[in-house]
Amino acid sequence: QIICLGDIVGYGANPNECIELAKKNNITCIKGNHDLNAVTLEKLDSFNDKAQEALKFTNKVLTEENKKFLNDLPEILELKDKNKLMGIHGGPKDHLYEYIYPTTDEELIKDMIEEQKVDVLACAHTHLPDLKRFELKLFLNPGSVGQPRNNNPKAQYAILDLSNINLATFETVEYDIDTASKKIISAGLPRFLAERLYLGR
């Protein structure tokens, strides 16, 4: 099962195509802060100037059907096998905007997992891969397929087996950065958003 922890759209030149790909492959998706604001533009002030430009572009090019798709996405994912997983884009206190960084106090993260009564807490938002083990519990950030921030330009994701959460692994995949970068520039989006793809930050 492929899971997307939010922000299907936000910085790239092909938001409709990304959504159609998610639909076609039956990818389980939850809502990210960029997904919400690409539809509503309600909290643009919380984004930097370049992200605001990208969100306005995305809002303009999204089809009404895909806007509805993004708007209807749930904010929380719950999965249960041998272990129970909660997936959120941000964090338990604020599902869309809370940042849980690799440097966040581990006791705070441990408390979050215990408060939610889950075995695995999976979050995104930072674009930074992170894995923390607390005895039989796990915190996981799979990193970002679209715009990594850990100085590795490859697309990044994680593989997790809910029947044995000790087997969590990180994976990276090369993709055609040149084409993605050219499309961003051709769309009139900030050149910085194209250039940063080569840097992974």
Side-chain angles (χ1 to χ4, degrees):
Q1 182 177 3
I2 303 174
I3 294 166
C4 172
L5 294 175
D7 287 355
I8 306 170
V9 304
Y11 290 110
N14 298 94
N16 286 304
E17 291 84 348
C18 288
I19 293 169
E20 295 304 329
L21 196 64
K23 292 177 184 175
K24 178 183 174 183
N25 291 284
N26 296 313
I27 296 173
T28 301
C29 301
I30 59 173
K31 188 182 295 179
N33 60 316
H34 285 263
D35 298 321
L36 174 67
N37 282 274
V39 178
T40 65
L41 301 176
E42 67 180 35
K43 284 194 177 181
L44 275 185
D45 290 347
S46 66
F47 296 87
N48 65 49
D49 293 346
K50 295 176 180 64
Q52 288 185 31
E53 282 188 57
L55 284 168
K56 289 174 184 174
F57 164 84
T58 305
N59 178 267
K60 185 178 177 181
V61 302
L62 279 175
T63 65
E64 289 305 313
E65 180 185 344
N66 284 335
K67 283 183 180 179
K68 185 178 188 309
F69 174 84
L70 292 177
N71 208 39
D72 290 346
L73 288 175
E75 291 185 8
I76 297 176
L77 169 71
E78 291 186 347
L79 296 175
K80 183 94 166 67
D81 191 321
K82 182 179 176 183
N83 294 286
K84 185 177 180 182
L85 175 144
M86 172 183 278
I88 323 170
H89 181 69
K93 291 187 177 68
D94 189 326
H95 299 159
L96 299 183
Y97 296 95
E98 182 179 6
Y99 285 99
I100 303 174
Y101 288 103
T103 54
T104 298
D105 188 298
E106 292 196 7
E107 285 302 313
L108 290 176
I109 298 174
K110 185 178 179 182
D111 289 344
M112 289 177 191
I113 295 171
E114 290 176 357
E115 286 168 10
Q116 301 306 316
K117 296 180 171 58
V118 295
D119 302 294
V120 181
L121 178 62
C123 300
H125 199 34
T126 65
H127 297 227
L128 294 167
D130 190 16
L131 180 68
K132 290 182 170 62
R133 300 185 190 278
F134 305 99
E135 296 173 0
L136 301 176
K137 309 289 185 181
L138 193 72
F139 173 80
L140 174 69
N141 187 319
S144 179
V145 170
Q147 199 187 87
R149 304 260 170 88
N150 62 337
N151 301 313
N152 183 342
K154 294 179 182 178
Q156 299 169 35
Y157 65 99
I159 297 177
L160 177 67
D161 183 349
L162 273 184
S163 66
N164 185 355
I165 59 176
N166 289 320
L167 299 178
T169 58
F170 292 103
E171 305 290 338
T172 60
V173 179
E174 289 190 17
Y175 73 99
D176 186 357
I177 295 176
D178 286 341
T179 297
S181 177
K182 286 172 184 173
K183 285 182 176 181
I184 288 170
I185 293 168
S186 296
L189 289 163
R191 182 173 287 271
F192 169 77
L193 297 179
E195 293 171 347
R196 77 184 307 177
L197 295 181
Y198 292 96
L199 305 174
R201 67 171 185 266

